[in-house]
Amino acid sequence: MIIGIDDTDSRDGMCTTYLGAVLMDELQQYGTVIGDPLLIRLNPTIPYKTRGNASIAIQLDTDRPDAVMEHVTSRIESLAEMECEKTNPGVVFFNDTDHEHARVVLEEFFIRTVREVISIDTAKDIIHDLGIPAKGYKNGRGLIGALAACGAMIREGWDHTYEYLAYRQRTVWGTSRSVDEESVWKADLATYPGTWDTIDRTNDLIVCVPHSPDPVLFGIRGKSVEAVTLASNMILSEPIERYAIFRTDQGTDMHLISVERIADIQDMHSYTIEVRVCELPHTIRGGHTIVPVCDRDGRCIDCAAFEPTKNFRKLIRKLIPGDMIRVSGSVKEDTLNIEKIEIISLACAYDISNPTCPSCGKRMKSAGKDQGYRCRKCGMRSDTLQQSERIRNITPGIYEVPPCARRHLAKPLIRTHRPNEFPSR
Ligand code: ATP
């Protein structure tokens, strides 16, 4: 049986992954948990999300499916933040893992939910057509994520990473977290690049410890169970209640759709597209840097490096019209929020100055209105201004926002680290 769950938390507390960790332990009484539990990040532009648009799935080998369904639903009812208007839990129980048609539908639904906007009715129709036991609470929106997580468990061969999530003891939920910062820096030093986004060196920040009132104490992301476990074991902190290691689509760029034309871009989707910078970048109130770009049809869109991307904005401000770039990011309100940028080729930039004297090498001065330029020392004259190519101080290659601003789904460059990539640490 595959159990998919979503939308149990609110901004005031809880976390669907915590419910998953609790169930991982409690469901042992009904059978054997198979493989790793899944933590699936879905379309990052969805407005209904509490934080990171996560859902979870667990696979269980059991001969007591009814008891499992009863146990899971009763735990959702006791732990979910039902009073919150935005919390609309959903759970699905998929037993028919040999049913080829159902497998295909769910595998595809997983990818669509990461990339597209899905209606509650679409999820309900699939559940109905395939006869999947499910329960939606309130408006049932959580069924979308629950079904997608189930599809992720069925689908094979997708790129994945791991996250070790440590959970706080219940008595301290909502209070400030006690984590020894020095041990976090040491854990990063000992395990990077096998782990990433534990800290943000450039901005001198600890990234793995959240500040919201949910049960998570810290989360360590990395390429393997071993790497995230090693780092987590080095972190000194308040006592934890439990932990779970999830296989996840975080850090994979699964949300990105490649397009060639701006006309193919839709709001609330995420893209990679090659474009040409068509105006100088400008910085607006709030410190957000905007760079207008256009495609080969001449169609334009604004790309943004928002204030939280910190030092990344300095790179964007160096762009000039004519630069060819490939940008990746989510589109909301007709603006592409840059997660990653490849600087493909640089346009030539020129400085215009008074001519230099061919005899003594000194800079000539204006000889008066419409009278050209004259060297004060040797008297040489010239009519034309001098144009010299400016050094751009920017190297072609791939750059990314710093860890403190990274989207869960965005693939950190350190995962590939090719010669023309500049990982942000
Ligand atoms: P947390 O990360 O703290 O677990 P969250 O950010 O995952 O919280 P949810 O409370 O799960 O947020 O709310 C997201 C809601 O949006 C869920 O009901 C989910 O089913 C729904 N949803 C997810 N992906 C899509 C999508 N592509 N289209 C429409 N709805 C979606």
Side-chain angles (χ1 to χ4, degrees):
M1 171 189 278
I2 297 170
I3 305 158
I5 306 174
D6 196 9
D7 209 343
T8 62
D9 54 358
S10 77
R11 286 209 172 268
D12 301 326
M14 255 303 282
C15 171
T16 305
T17 70
Y18 174 74
L19 177 61
V22 169
L23 289 173
M24 287 281 290
D25 290 337
E26 294 180 351
L27 292 179
Q28 306 279 356
Q29 60 185 302
Y30 304 107
T32 312
V33 172
I34 307 169
D36 303 309
L38 294 186
L39 159 54
I40 299 301
R41 299 286 176 180
L42 303 165
N43 185 338
T45 69
I46 294 299
Y48 319 111
K49 66 180 184 178
T50 311
R51 281 176 292 266
N53 203 3
S55 63
I56 61 136
I58 298 169
Q59 189 161 16
L60 191 71
D61 188 4
T62 180
D63 51 14
R64 297 172 62 198
D66 291 338
V68 171
M69 289 194 275
E70 201 181 313
H71 186 100
V72 172
T73 46
S74 84
R75 284 315 250 155
I76 292 174
E77 283 154 26
S78 65
L79 283 170
E81 296 266 308
M82 293 287 188
E83 318 73 47
C84 173
E85 190 209 323
K86 282 180 93 178
T87 302
N88 298 287
V91 55
V92 300
F93 303 95
F94 183 66
N95 295 296
D96 226 355
T97 46
D98 292 334
H99 188 317
E100 195 48 36
H101 171 65
R103 292 178 64 94
V104 171
V105 170
L106 294 178
E107 282 179 18
E108 190 221 23
F109 187 77
F110 158 47
I111 302 294
R112 279 180 57 204
T113 313
V114 174
R115 296 185 180 158
E116 297 170 22
V117 181
I118 310 287
S119 71
I120 301 175
D121 281 346
T122 303
K124 285 184 176 167
D125 287 349
I126 292 176
I127 287 167
H128 177 262
D129 293 349
L130 299 178
I132 299 173
K135 188 157 186 183
Y137 296 81
K138 296 162 70 182
N139 74 12
R141 182 172 286 117
L143 290 170
I144 301 170
L147 204 57
C150 182
M153 191 63 98
I154 296 167
R155 195 178 179 104
E156 287 168 9
W158 46 275
D159 184 22
H160 61 267
T161 63
Y162 291 87
E163 179 157 7
Y164 181 120
L165 282 161
Y167 298 100
R168 313 183 72 194
Q169 296 190 338
R170 200 175 273 238
T171 48
V172 296
W173 287 8
T175 64
S176 66
R177 291 164 171 85
S178 174
V179 177
D180 177 64
E181 296 200 357
E182 204 183 319
S183 69
V184 176
W185 287 88
K186 280 187 182 158
D188 170 76
L189 204 59
T191 57
Y192 182 89
T195 63
W196 52 80
D197 293 358
T198 305
I199 46 105
D200 182 326
R201 281 184 185 267
T202 315
N203 296 298
D204 196 18
L205 287 170
I206 288 191
V207 182
C208 67
V209 180
H211 300 286
S212 43
D214 62 84
V216 173
L217 181 62
F218 61 79
I220 299 294
R221 295 169 179 199
K223 67 175 186 186
S224 64
V225 171
E226 293 72 30
V228 295
T229 306
L230 181 62
S232 302
N233 287 343
M234 289 181 71
I235 295 177
L236 307 174
S237 70
E238 61 184 53
I240 62 168
E241 182 196 276
R242 67 184 73 235
Y243 74 91
I245 301 173
F246 291 91
R247 186 160 67 91
T248 171
D249 60 353
Q250 289 170 175
T252 62
D253 277 348
M254 195 181 282
H255 59 315
L256 298 177
I257 305 165
S258 271
V259 286
E260 291 188 358
R261 302 167 70 231
I262 290 173
D264 295 332
I265 284 180
Q266 285 174 270
D267 243 34
M268 296 175 71
H269 291 65
S270 308
Y271 297 97
T272 296
I273 182 166
E274 186 180 322
V275 284
R276 184 171 55 80
V277 174
C278 56
E279 278 178 45
L280 279 175
H282 56 279
T283 298
I284 58 171
R285 228 169 114 193
H288 314 304
T289 297
I290 310 291
V291 56
V293 300
C294 60
D295 62 10
R296 60 176 115 94
D297 299 340
R299 213 175 161 126
C300 296
I301 189 169
D302 279 347
C303 294
F306 288 105
E307 190 281 331
T309 64
K310 307 285 174 206
N311 50 313
F312 182 72
R313 292 171 299 165
K314 284 192 190 156
L315 173 82
I316 301 303
R317 288 179 194 139
K318 288 182 183 172
L319 296 170
I320 62 168
D323 287 346
M324 290 304 299
I325 58 176
R326 187 173 290 114
V327 280
S328 301
S330 301
V331 176
K332 260 188 158 176
E333 289 162 18
D334 297 326
T335 302
L336 187 145
N337 177 354
I338 310 172
E339 294 167 10
K340 225 180 248 132
I341 181 169
E342 176 174 4
I343 297 174
I344 301 168
S345 65
L346 295 170
C348 287
Y350 295 99
D351 285 323
I352 308 290
S353 56
N354 288 3
T356 44
C357 171
S359 163
C360 70
K362 277 199 162 277
R363 182 84 57 205
M364 293 184 180
K365 295 273 183 310
S366 169
K369 195 163 184 286
D370 298 331
Q371 292 178 60
Y373 303 88
R374 194 172 69 86
C375 176
R376 293 254 165 96
K377 200 169 162 206
C378 349
M380 297 280 279
R381 300 188 79 97
S382 170
D383 287 336
T384 47
L385 282 166
Q386 186 172 299
Q387 180 174 289
S388 52
E389 196 173 330
R390 190 192 312 153
I391 296 169
R392 289 290 308 277
N393 198 15
I394 180 171
T395 310
I398 310 180
Y399 299 81
E400 62 187 355
V401 300
C404 67
R406 194 181 332 267
R407 276 257 154 96
H408 299 291
L409 274 160
K411 184 173 177 174
L413 294 177
I414 194 65
R415 284 198 64 208
T416 42
H417 203 186
R418 285 181 284 250
N420 67 335
E421 293 176 340
F422 299 92
S424 177
R425 194 183 177 189

